Amino acid sequence: MSGMDKAKNKIEELGGQGKEAAGKATDDKDLQAEGEADQASGNVKQAGEKVKDVFKS
């Protein structure tokens, strides 16, 4: 997995956690859902990169 891709995916995941927390704190369901989606997207991308790494070996 490229270090840059890994960092971008982690940033997306952490940003999603922040949005989710802000949404919960302000009772903004849309922001909370957006944060959850960002986290899921980051996790899926990380999983895809790991699969690519397996086939590169």
Side-chain angles (χ1 to χ4, degrees), residues 14-51:
L14 292 174
Q17 289 174 358
K19 284 182 184 179
E20 181 181 4
K24 284 181 180 178
T26 60
D27 201 30
D28 184 341
K29 301 292 183 192
D30 291 334
L31 185 59
Q32 184 178 348
E34 186 178 335
E36 291 170 356
D38 287 351
Q39 288 178 68
S41 175
N43 288 334
V44 167
K45 289 177 184 177
Q46 285 181 16
E49 290 295 324
K50 288 178 184 176
V51 169

